[in-house]
């Protein structure tokens, strides 16, 4: 069972099917994708079943049913593709949740670390200057997503009791995250470190390490395969030179969100229908890049409120556990802020896996607390 679990975790968290699709062939990628879901079902059948993740199930049911009924204009012409998309989601949240209940912090950290190291692998083996533009993403194909993986791994490192190994993990995740040149990663990395000071004032030294690494990137940036415009911007800021605001604000998420505000206000109750906010509709050719706006815009305010409540509960519950498990709160914040910049909540295994792992860990703590209370009574 453990080997089966490790295979499934590597396929989902390392984003292997999508990476194979890009670097190898669609046929092999399709086989691996189907295999990952077959293995997930097999694990569920062989495992001891416990409670289902009702939050994920109800949100999925409401989102897909309401959005497809309201407007089926943007549902794929091949209906089987749409049905398969829904089936994959429910396999992930039902079978995957059972697997994640049996996944330890050490195991999830290991696979996040392997995922982050694929960024280095890309630079050494798969770098394509015409496509990468000096930003690196490993198996995740999107620098912002790779930055998110590094950020979650960085937050997870605070669960490690060995200070030297914790520092090693933090350095690895920081270096790999900086290689994505993701503004989101840098901002959330800074926020994570500021919160971590509450855990231990000594954590403030990691800020100095991060600043030193960033400075080293600027100094030795010429050695990277491709010169990155964002690195030039950072270099100019560190040197006190002027930076054009148009360059910094280029591809701003807030500008992207604004493209959908009118459509959101036109149909706030039941939304505009499935896929209408994914960049494949008449509203805009660019996706909304915000999972919260996508859910509201496509399935209406009721599903949106339910989605918000689920993550607010995760914030509240992880805060209650902050003293003993501070990494849970750090990861919840990272997930929520990442979802404000990415609209692929329903079809990315790593986002669903990380969110459900947090829920599973919170449930474990609740059970342990209840057991302790019963014993003490």
């Amino acid at each position: 069972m453990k080997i089966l679990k490790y295979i499934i975790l590597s396929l989902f968290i390392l984003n292997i099917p999508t990476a194979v699709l890009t670097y190898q062939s669609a046929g092999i990628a399709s086989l691996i994708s189907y295999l990952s879901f077959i293995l997930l079902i097999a694990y569920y059948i062989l495992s001891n079943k416990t409670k289902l993740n009702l939050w994920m199930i109800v949100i999925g049911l409401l989102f897909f049913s309401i959005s497809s009924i309201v407007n089926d204009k943007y549902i794929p012409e091949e209906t089987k593709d749409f049905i398969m998309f829904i089936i994959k989601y429910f396999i992930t949240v039902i079978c995957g949740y059972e697997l994640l209940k049996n996944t330890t912090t050490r195991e999830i950290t290991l696979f996040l670390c392997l995922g982050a190291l694929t960024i280095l692998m890309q630079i050494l083996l798969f770098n394509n200057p015409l496509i990468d533009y000096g930003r690196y993403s490993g198996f995740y194909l999107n620098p912002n997503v790779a930055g998110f993986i590094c950020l979650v791994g960085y937050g997870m490192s605070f669960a490690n009791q060995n200070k030297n190994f914790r520092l090693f993990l933090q350095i690895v995740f920081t270096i790999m995250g900086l290689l994505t040149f993701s503004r989101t990663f840098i901002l959330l990395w800074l926020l994570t470190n500021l919160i971590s000071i509450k855990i231990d004032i000594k954590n403030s030294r990691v800020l100095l390490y991060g600043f030193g690494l960033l400075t080293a990137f600027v100094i030795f940036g010429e050695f990277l395969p491709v010169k990155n415009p964002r690195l030039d911007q950072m270099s100019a800021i560190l040197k006190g030179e002027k930076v054009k605001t148009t360059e910094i604000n280029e591809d701003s998420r807030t500008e992207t969100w604004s493209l959908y505000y009118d459509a959101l206000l036109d149909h706030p109750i039941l939304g505009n229908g499935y896929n209408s906010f994914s960049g494949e509709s008449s509203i805009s050719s660019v996706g909304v890049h915000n999972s919260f706006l996508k859910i509201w815009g496509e399935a209406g305010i009721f599903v949106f409120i339910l989605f918000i409540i689920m993550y607010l509960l995760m914030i509240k519950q992880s805060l209650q556990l902050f003293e003993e498990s501070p990494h849970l709160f750090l990861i919840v914040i990272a997930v929520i802020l990442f979802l404000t910049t990415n609209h692929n909540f329903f079809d990315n295994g790593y986002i669903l896996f990380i969110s459900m792992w947090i829920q599973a860990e919170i449930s474990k703590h609740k059970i342990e607390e209840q057991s302790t209370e019963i014993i003490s009574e």
Side-chain angles (χ1 to χ4, degrees), residues 208-221:
L208 298 176
Y209 295 150
F211 182 76
L213 288 169
L214 183 58
T215 304
F217 267 65
V218 171
I219 294 172
F220 297 106

Side-chain angles (χ1 to χ4, degrees), residues 182-222:
S182 166
R183 291 170 295 197
T184 304
F185 170 80
I186 293 173
L187 289 172
L188 295 186
W189 179 90
L190 181 62
L191 177 62
T192 299
N193 279 288
L194 291 174
I195 296 172
S196 74
I197 294 173
K198 178 175 172 55
I199 304 169
D200 188 344
I201 191 65
K202 292 180 181 179
N203 287 329
S204 58
R205 64 182 179 176
V206 182
L207 283 169
L208 298 176
Y209 295 150
F211 182 76
L213 288 169
L214 183 58
T215 304
F217 267 65
V218 171
I219 294 172
F220 297 106
E222 295 294 333

